Amino acid sequence: MIEYKIAQESDYLSINNFYNRLHGSKRTIEQFRWEFHDGPLKPGIYIIAVDSDNNAVVGSQAAMYMNVVLSHGEKILTAKSEDTLVDPTYRGKNIFNNMYEMLFDECKKNGIEYIWGFTTAIKPFKGMNFEVPWSHSQTLAVSNPIAAYKYLVKLNSKNKLKDKFKIFGLAAKSYLKLKSSFLFAVPKLKGFQEDIPVADASLIIGNILKTSQSPYFAIDQDANYQRWRFYANSNYKTVKTYSLIIENQLKAFLIIHISDENIGYIVQALFDPSLGEKVIEKFIQQSTAKIFRLGVSIIRNWSFTHTEYNNKENQHFIKVGYTFLDRGVPFVWKSLNNGPLDPSNLISFKILSEGTN
């Protein structure tokens, strides 16, 4: 018999073992706690399906509390869906739907108005009345095409020879494109600073929302969120922060996580709307050059094109030599109370990812 319940701390080890078994990964209990217990607002809601015959976890579904902020400063409580898993030997028992129905009820009880996430398995989500309004894209920059190729080709063990040729061509193309944009010395911006943690991104987010003609909204990035997402993240070992300070005000920043394989992941980049395009692009160039000097062979970056703001930001990276890949994972969204927010107006950043790379 399958039973459904809200997970307690005593269930964390069993849940994490279930996750690692299905993914073939090595997520630590500290990483699990960071994501689902130590969130910026409070511990998330975690639903598990348990086979009562052997007391085994056979399904999981979590919701992480996150505020979104509107142009006039109003905050609305949402939740990010994560750890959607069903043991393959238990499929066909409606576990996915049952977990989500329980999660929806718990979210409503706790004041959550919208639930969202990323998934390639959109069919079951559509079956639960999720919208699929857009997908993310990617940009990348390569400083060492051989090392980048070796990393990229490992991402899919099913790559055939023709796929490997395409991947090598992509790495070489990105390298040459970036190199051509760096023919001249990288400009040095006055006010450029390194390794000063960004305590609060609310001001820049607020300026973006207030100056836009569209009814945009965004994830609230206050001090608690910044600390949790970037600087207290147990998945990150090396975090570099590059900032642009003008007249004692933060005007731009880029935060990057560098993995043990010397792969760089841009985990956030924000630019105040008062900055000119050339200044933004010089800032990206200078930050990129700094990252590559650390021995990073490839920089990966989620990008978005579904809003005018996001598309413009994406173009800044492309202009300085980043290569655009129009492929990514679909975004899913569900209103729990028929609220007015349109997911097409969500200004999106890399912070929408799970935060594990």
Side-chain angles (χ1 to χ4, degrees), residues 74-95:
E74 178 187 358
K75 295 182 181 182
I76 295 176
L77 186 60
T78 75
K80 185 177 191 298
S81 174
E82 281 292 353
D83 270 21
T84 306
L85 291 172
V86 176
D87 189 313
T89 60
Y90 286 80
R91 285 176 184 163
K93 300 181 182 295
N94 211 38
I95 292 175

Side-chain angles (χ1 to χ4, degrees), residues 300-329:
R300 301 187 66 187
N301 180 34
W302 273 19
S303 58
F304 306 88
T305 58
H306 63 282
T307 71
E308 182 181 355
Y309 172 85
N310 283 123
N311 191 51
K312 188 175 181 180
E313 180 191 83
N314 193 42
Q315 290 302 313
H316 293 318
F317 282 91
I318 293 172
K319 285 181 181 178
V320 301
Y322 280 65
T323 299
F324 177 70
L325 301 178
D326 191 13
R327 65 179 74 136
V329 179

Side-chain angles (χ1 to χ4, degrees), residues 11 15 19 49 76 100 122 185 195 246 251-252 257 267 329 336:
D11 298 308
I15 295 169
Y19 174 94
I76 295 176
Y100 255 117
I122 60 174
D195 290 335
I246 299 176
K251 291 295 184 179
H257 161 236
V267 292
V329 179
L336 299 177

Side-chain angles (χ1 to χ4, degrees), residues 249-261:
Q249 288 193 346
L250 177 68
K251 291 295 184 179
F253 70 88
L254 185 151
I255 303 175
I256 185 163
H257 161 236
I258 302 174
S259 73
D260 289 338
E261 298 175 291

Side-chain angles (χ1 to χ4, degrees), residues 223-293:
N224 283 337
Y225 185 91
Q226 287 288 118
R227 179 199 58 79
W228 169 77
R229 182 60 172 78
F230 305 119
Y231 304 113
N233 190 331
S234 59
N235 296 282
Y236 295 170
K237 293 184 178 179
T238 302
V239 177
K240 301 291 291 184
T241 302
Y242 304 102
S243 307
L244 184 62
I245 309 295
I246 299 176
E247 295 180 351
N248 296 318
Q249 288 193 346
L250 177 68
K251 291 295 184 179
F253 70 88
L254 185 151
I255 303 175
I256 185 163
H257 161 236
I258 302 174
S259 73
D260 289 338
E261 298 175 291
N262 278 332
I263 306 301
Y265 298 89
I266 295 177
V267 292
Q268 182 57 306
L270 269 179
F271 313 108
D272 192 274
S274 65
L275 293 177
E277 292 185 8
K278 295 297 183 183
V279 173
I280 293 173
E281 288 158 18
K282 287 178 181 178
F283 175 75
I284 295 173
Q285 274 191 312
Q286 191 167 344
S287 300
T288 300
K290 288 275 188 178
I291 295 165
F292 282 146
R293 289 184 191 124

